[in-house]
Structures are given as structure tokens and as C-alpha cells.
Amino acid sequence: LLWPSSPRRDYYWTMLSAIVHRLGLGLGGYTTLASYNRFHNNVLRDAIVVILIDFVMMLFCAMTIFGFIGYIASVNGVSIHEVVGGGPGLVYVVMVMVFSQLPSGSSWAALFFLTLVLLTYG
């Protein structure tokens, strides 16, 4: 999935634009925190650390979501393509099925959807 057999340029540009968009969400916070830096601070190191932390978190979230999708597909006995049809079905259908299988799933579902609501206002 990360390295397609026939590399297309639009695939990599999409990946890069997603990283830039994710980092742009915290631009005000980065500027505020940067005002507390020393004058001779290593900005390049800080930028690389922020990008690496963002990449690791994105990789963790993707692995978790793909694990959930694979679990739901194996429980229902269908292929992964049938579990996720695309669009908002991942958030509103698959994640509801996942939370219904977890212990105290309604609490996790409430936290998840509260996070989605807060992201829309951010």
C-alpha cells in the first residue's frame, strides 16, 4: 500500500498534501510555542521532530483503523472491500460496528464522536 507497483505521481502528491494539511491545523499553536524559544534555537531539528511525531501518530492511527476493518471483515465473513464502501461509511458505519464490539463501547463511541465534533470546530 505504501509503495505501489506502478508509482503514480498523484499518489505521492496526495500523501504530501495530507501531511502539509495535518501540520497546518496546528499552525497557530506552533507560532505561539515558537515565541518561547531561545534566539539561537535549532529550528530545523524542531521541525523534523514535529514531522516525525506527526508521521508516527498517523501511522499508528492507520494501523489501528485497518486492524478494526480487518477484524470486522473476518467476524462478518466478508472481504475488506465489502466492509468499507468509501466516503463517510468508515466513520459512521464501521466505527459504530467496532465500538459495539468493545467493552464499554458506548463510552469509547461518545469520546470518538466528541473528538470528531471538536475537529469540525477547530
Side-chain angles (χ1 to χ4, degrees):
L1 181 65
L2 289 177
W3 308 109
S5 59
S6 61
R8 301 174 305 194
R9 290 184 187 265
D10 60 338
Y11 178 80
Y12 297 108
W13 284 113
T14 302
M15 201 165 52
L16 287 174
S17 68
I19 291 173
V20 168
H21 175 70
R22 285 176 51 91
L23 292 175
L25 292 176
L27 192 58
Y30 298 147
T31 306
T32 303
L33 291 174
S35 67
Y36 293 105
N37 284 341
R38 297 181 317 273
F39 182 73
H40 295 288
N41 191 32
N42 190 352
V43 178
L44 180 62
R45 183 197 66 212
D46 292 347
I48 290 172
V49 166
V50 166
I51 290 171
L52 285 176
I53 290 172
D54 180 61
F55 177 74
V56 168
M57 289 302 296
M58 187 172 57
L59 189 63
F60 174 73
C61 291
M63 288 173 48
T64 304
I65 294 296
F66 293 147
F68 285 157
I69 291 171
Y71 173 73
I72 293 295
S74 75
V75 165
N76 293 336
V78 296
S79 71
I80 292 176
H81 296 290
E82 294 175 19
V83 172
V84 180
L90 175 66
V91 173
Y92 297 112
V93 177
V94 175
M95 293 308 288
V96 170
M97 289 191 306
V98 167
F99 291 132
S100 68
Q101 307 255 338
L102 291 174
S104 68
S106 59
S107 301
W108 288 110
L111 287 173
F112 178 75
F113 288 114
L114 177 68
T115 303
L116 288 180
V117 167
L118 292 176
L119 282 174
T120 59
Y121 292 121

